[in-house]
Structures are given as structure tokens and as C-alpha cells.
Amino acid sequence: MRSSEAVELYFTRAADQLELAGHLRKLLLTPNREVQVQIPVKMDSGELACLIGYRVQHNRARGPMKGGLRYHQEVDLDEVRSLASLMTWKTAVVNIPYGGAKGGIAVDAGKLSEGELERITRRFIDAIHDMIGPDTDIPAPDMGTDHRVMAWIMSQYNKYHGFNPGVVTGKPVEYYGIPGREEATGRGVGLLTTKLLQRLRRKSEGATIAIQGFGNVGTHTAKFLHEAGCRIVAISDASGAYYNEEGIDVPGALRHVMSHEHSLRNYPAADTITNAALLELEVDVLIPAAIGGVITGENAPRIKAPIIVEAANGPTHPDADDLLAKRGVTILPDILANAGGVTVSYFEWAQNRQFYRWNLDRVRQELDKTMNMAFEEIWDLARERKVPLRTAAFMLGIARVSRAAELTGLA
Ligand code: NAD
């Protein structure tokens, strides 16, 4: 099953619960615009590479479209399409005034020099600058991109359209960014993990956690949960997975990646296991925080964690979702769990437009409030309608987007 079909299936389950009319289903499933562009770029070797970039604008009923930019070798149009759709439901779930979009370039960001990364980014913006803008479509970081890439996007966009920091979020704090954006997704994941544990009458103190992916989201999730008293027993990245039954020394692991080109390779204070084995560990909470599609019908029967918190986008295939639900596993879905990033992106965008600065305390306070509110709404809806949290989250998102579409006269 392709990624976009998986999202469509989750959408349909929620739409059935809402008894959504056929014409609205069609409208909400069809992307507004999909663009594929050629990115010719001179590499350090002197060779001319021709990369492919995508931007999919899914829905704009609730506001300018918003979504990250992913640089990864497996990026293709179908994946970007599914991620753009998830952004539409996610922004609606946390009730921020945006629609959904996503972009990506099929390239292994880990193999690029800083100069190559910058040239690729600027050429990509040359190709799509007319599509994006603070009132139309606002990119942000995702896998393989970070605050440096966002700064280059702003600078390249400005060459065509004049100074406008609100065209992109996730920028460096010293360059029109907002304090707390970098940690926001991981903080939201951590916060809702402790909240969910509490709701399920389990203690955070000493709860065992396995986290797949130790990039932006994985590191900040680990830090938050470590500080909350959880025991992080396994972490991983593209180099492999690392297990320590006594608990990983999270500050030590963070120092290791900082001094080893953002990689856990050769991390000494743990046993080495595979990324596949990490998913099957006997832990209280499993947190996929890397790529999509890692929990499948094949490995789901071997997954032992009673709670899964989807920090990554689309980590669970629908057939695995069904198998796990039957076994009583609670899944906190991506469109709620990882919505902290887009929430603080919204604060950054609002700040940029007002030329007003928020401090870290205020950002954290507002983020926590937004995440808590969305969690409560979805928890209550799930209980009331006797549906899984994922279906409840899609129901809330779809209800808000379809109402906006009706109000604007689109439906
Ligand atoms: P990142 O590039 O900073 O980190 C990705 C991590 O995953 C790295 O540690 C990488 O080594 C690891 N990884 C890559 N392939 C892997 C594999 N096959 N097995 C195990 N680990 C692997 O990316 P990120 O921003 O942390 O994003 C991670 C996930 O979170 C993505 O699914 C992304 O869409 C989602 N997400 C990110 C944000 C954000 O604000 N950055 C917001 C919402 C959702």
C-alpha cells in the first residue's frame, strides 16, 4: 500500500464516523496543487547533478498552507502527497489557522557538503518561489533540513519578493526565528507521552522507553522524557540502534552526537542492536521518530510495547494499526503527537508578521496549552464515540476543515 493510500484509508474511517457527504470527501482528498521541478546543481566534484524536487499544496480552506521540506533519498511524489494531507489534518487538530502542504527533494542529505546543501536549496527556491509566500504556503524543517536551510530559503525568496521573514519557519533564532522551535516537536511528543501514561494509569517515573531516530525530534523527545524521570533504554539512528537496560545516559548520548557529525555511530555506553530489534523491545512506550512505514503487518505481531507514540509521520501501516488495536495497544497518532513543531512554527510566523518577540517561557507555555487542549478534545471524542485515538484525531481535523470549506462556499 502506498503512503497516500494509507492516509486515505485513515481519512475514510473517520469520514464514515462523521457520515461526511461524498462531494466533501472528494474535495478534501484531492490535493490543491502538485508540482515537480528539476533542480540542476553543480556538485563539489564539478559534476552537474539533476535532482528532482516536489511541493504539494493539499488544502487551504483554513488558511495559508503549511508544511515541512524533506531531503531524503526515498522522497517521491506519493510520499510528499501523503505528508501534505497529514499536514491539513494536523493543523486543524491543533486549531491553528493553516492548511496543509509538504515538499521534498530526493537526495541523501547526509552525503552533501554544506555548500552543496545551500546550492540545492537556493536552486529549489528559484523553481518554486512563485508558489510559496507568507500568505500562501510556508515551508519549515523536516528530515534532512534544519535552521540553516530555512535561512537560505528566506534569503533566496527575498531576492525575488523583497524582505519577508514570514515565508518560512524554523529559522535560526538570531535570524528571525523563535526560541523553542527546534525543541518544539520533541517537547510536544514528550509532554503527550507523559499525559497518555497518566491517563492509562501508568507512572512516568521509571517508565521504559525506546526511541527510533535521534535527529531533531528524537533527541528532544529523549531529553524531555529523561528529565521527566522515564528510563530511555534504547535509541537509534541510521547508523544502528543502542540498548542499555539500565537506561541510556541521555546527556552523554547528546554529547556523543554533537561531537560525531550528528551520528550515534560507535556510541560506547550501550549494546548495539538493529533498528528492527529496537521496535520489538519489551518497553512501556515505543516512539518511532525517524522515517515512515516502519511498523508493518509483518513486525506488528512481535511488537511488545502497550503504547506507541508516533513522533515520525506515518510510521504505522494500516494493517499493523488494525493488528495492534485488536491487541489493545494504544497508539497516539502522528497528527496529534508531533504537532508541536507546526504549532511553534505558527508562533514564529505570527511574530514575524508583528515584528514582536516572544521569550522561551511564553513559547513553552503556549505550546503546552495548545497540545494539552488538542489531547483532551481527542481523548474525549475517542471515549464518546468508542473509536481509536487516530480515528478521533482525523474526525476532529476533518470536521474543522470541511466546515471551513463549506463556510468559504467551496462545498
Ligand atoms: P532529522 O533528519 O533531524 O532526524 C532523522 C533521524 O532519523 C536521524 O537520526 C537519522 O539518522 C534517523 N534515521 C534515518 N533513517 C533511519 C532508519 N532507517 N532507521 C532509524 N533511524 C533512521 O529529522 P527529524 O526532523 O527529527 O524528523 C524525524 C521524523 O519526525 C520525520 O518522520 C518527520 O517527518 C517527523 N516530524 C518532524 C518535525 C520537525 O519539527 N522536525 C515535525 C513533525 C514531524
Side-chain angles (χ1 to χ4, degrees), residues 70 142-144 181 185 214-217 237-238 275 289-291 312-313:
R70 178 176 288 195
D142 193 80
M143 268 178 81
R181 172 59 185 89
T185 308
F214 209 57
N216 174 298
V217 179
D237 65 7
N275 259 298
I291 49 172
N313 281 310

Side-chain angles (χ1 to χ4, degrees), residues 70-74 83 87 90 102 140-145 181-182 184-186 212-219 236-240 262-264 275 288-292 294 310-315 334 338-342 345:
R70 178 176 288 195
Y71 291 179
H72 191 270
Q73 57 280 17
E74 279 165 26
L83 293 167
M87 285 306 298
K90 191 181 302 183
K102 199 83 181 189
D142 193 80
M143 268 178 81
T145 59
R181 172 59 185 89
E182 197 122 331
T185 308
Q212 183 184 60
F214 209 57
N216 174 298
V217 179
T219 52
S236 79
D237 65 7
S239 76
H262 301 286
S263 173
L264 280 168
N275 259 298
I291 49 172
V294 291
E310 294 184 338
N313 281 310
D334 46 10
N338 69 30
V342 74
S345 273

Side-chain angles (χ1 to χ4, degrees), residues 171-173 177-184 344 347-348 351 357-364:
K171 301 179 292 293
V173 180
I178 191 168
R181 172 59 185 89
E182 197 122 331
E183 68 172 24
V344 175
F347 302 155
E348 178 180 335
Q351 243 204 176
R357 275 201 175 276
W358 289 19
N359 62 31
L360 183 59
D361 280 349
R362 181 165 177 204
V363 170
R364 285 179 169 170

Side-chain angles (χ1 to χ4, degrees), residues 96-108:
I96 53 179
Y98 286 141
K102 199 83 181 189
I105 300 177
V107 67
D108 185 349

